[in-house]
Amino acid sequence: MKNDEDLVYRLRRRAEIRRQIPTRKSVQDNQPDRLSDLLEESANEIERLSNMKPFAWYDPTNRHLSLDQHNPAFSPLGQLIPLYKQSSNIDAGIDRNTDNKGYEIGTEEGYNDFIKYRNRL
């Protein structure tokens, strides 16, 4: 993807342009532009999330959990769900249509709770 078509680049460029418009009240008053700040914050969050790597994989078809994405125990047509460590900025979780009572699979603590729950079955 070309740099000028990248969403992160466009968000940051739009924030930069907004801050340089001399007729804007925030520019005239030398105040922060809240929308520009929000655009930059969004670009930073997109960049952070795109760099996250899953710590485990879950196959709901056969209820198999593994640290290896290419584990042969996963069903061939199963949909793998990547599991990420929870950040204070995101609300991670699993599909709400499953029987996920009492645990959040998107967190390391939730992963451990899930293993305990699965072993009880």
Side-chain angles (χ1 to χ4, degrees):
M1 182 179 293
K2 287 174 52 180
N3 190 30
D4 60 346
E5 294 175 3
D6 181 35
L7 177 60
V8 172
Y9 170 81
R10 290 183 298 151
L11 289 169
R12 288 194 174 123
R13 181 71 178 129
R14 172 49 61 193
E16 180 184 334
I17 290 170
R18 279 185 60 89
R19 288 192 176 108
Q20 293 175 356
I21 299 172
T23 57
R24 295 195 52 75
K25 186 171 182 348
S26 60
V27 173
Q28 292 171 353
D29 295 345
N30 202 20
Q31 296 292 320
D33 183 351
R34 291 181 298 188
L35 187 53
S36 292
D37 293 344
L38 187 61
L39 290 167
E40 283 188 352
E41 184 181 336
S42 299
N44 292 339
E45 187 66 9
I46 290 170
E47 213 168 47
R48 186 187 69 79
L49 291 173
S50 67
N51 291 328
M52 285 182 71
K53 304 289 184 236
F55 72 90
W57 299 85
Y58 173 66
D59 182 357
T61 311
N62 62 4
R63 296 182 172 177
H64 184 72
L65 193 60
S66 175
L67 298 177
D68 179 17
Q69 180 182 6
H70 305 291
N71 188 316
F74 288 138
S75 59
L77 300 176
Q79 176 187 0
L80 293 183
I81 299 173
L83 308 179
Y84 299 92
K85 291 184 181 182
Q86 184 174 11
S87 166
S88 59
N89 295 339
I90 60 172
D91 178 23
I94 65 171
D95 183 3
R96 298 297 175 211
N97 295 325
T98 61
D99 60 345
N100 60 337
K101 297 174 181 74
Y103 55 85
E104 269 192 287
I105 201 73
T107 66
E108 202 163 355
E109 180 182 340
Y111 170 76
N112 294 332
D113 291 344
F114 178 76
I115 295 298
K116 290 176 194 172
Y117 174 80
R118 189 185 69 168
N119 291 339
R120 284 186 282 164
L121 297 180

